[in-house]
Amino acid sequence: MTQDLNLPFIALSGIAILGGLIFVVLLLNIVGAALRPQFKLRPLMNKAESAVYRQLVKAAPAGWVVMCQVSYGSFLSNKSRKRYWTVNAKRADFIITDGGSDVVAVIEYQGSGHYGSSRRGRDRAEKSDRIKRMATTEAGIHFFELPKNCGPDHLARLFDALIPAPATEFEKP
């Protein structure tokens, strides 16, 4: 008979322990969420890149589009998954599209932070630049590397290189 009286007590104890565990798990989730670092907005470009971007937009022919921080994987493809993954996560500082949606040029800005502050950082940046240069060349996309202190004239000449010259009288059929 004593065993019959202990059964409800054991069941209630089990329910109380389970409820307590659920409470602790919920509390840990709430506290964990409060302590977890929050996502914050950060600038898409630094000040120097923003200045270059504004100059590129100003120099671009009507209808052309300048975009920044575009993943190479979004405008390049390759049948070899291994080769594709060598560029997929890399970002172009700027891409230029013609009047349609075709990428005609990639511009890499070699600003003050481009090569990092160590020999290892410089080696990594140079290797990445070689891969980007090779991939865009294979795809038939112009690849320009802008020096740190390039001016508006430099950027205007860049667009001159992208726009085909009009046919002369002698070349017309």
Side-chain angles (χ1 to χ4, degrees):
M1 178 120 167
T2 344
Q3 286 181 330
D4 291 339
L5 293 175
N6 286 339
L7 191 60
F9 176 74
I10 292 170
L12 287 175
S13 297
I15 291 172
I17 291 171
L18 184 61
L21 286 173
I22 291 172
F23 176 76
V24 168
V25 168
L26 290 173
L27 186 63
L28 286 174
N29 279 334
I30 291 169
V31 170
L35 297 176
R36 195 174 2 210
Q38 299 292 309
F39 281 101
K40 294 183 180 180
L41 180 64
R42 73 176 195 177
L44 191 55
M45 298 175 279
N46 62 35
K47 288 180 183 180
E49 290 169 332
S50 293
V52 170
Y53 175 78
R54 286 188 302 275
Q55 291 175 0
L56 284 168
V57 169
K58 188 175 180 180
W64 289 39
V65 177
V66 178
M67 296 180 210
C68 67
Q69 301 300 326
V70 179
S71 161
Y72 275 79
S74 63
F75 62 90
L76 291 178
S77 66
N78 194 298
K79 289 181 182 178
S80 165
R81 290 179 62 82
K82 183 179 178 182
R83 291 197 74 214
Y84 175 75
W85 285 105
T86 64
V87 298
N88 178 52
K90 295 184 185 321
R91 289 179 305 208
D93 292 330
F94 307 101
I95 65 167
I96 299 172
T97 64
D98 58 11
S101 60
D102 293 328
V103 176
V104 294
V106 169
I107 299 172
E108 291 295 337
Y109 176 61
Q110 315 309 36
S112 59
H114 180 74
Y115 293 108
S117 58
S118 68
R119 181 66 194 162
R120 184 176 179 196
R122 182 174 196 80
D123 291 345
R124 186 180 46 80
E126 288 173 349
K127 179 181 178 186
S128 182
D129 288 346
R130 277 192 305 275
I131 292 169
K132 292 174 181 181
R133 203 176 299 113
M134 178 268 313
T136 53
T137 300
E138 285 182 17
I141 299 170
H142 293 275
F143 185 85
F144 297 101
E145 296 174 82
L146 296 181
K148 181 180 174 183
N149 296 317
C150 65
D153 293 343
H154 188 105
L155 299 176
R157 287 191 307 273
L158 178 143
F159 282 102
D160 289 343
L162 294 174
I163 301 169
T168 63
E169 267 187 58
F170 300 107
E171 294 175 318
K172 291 181 185 176

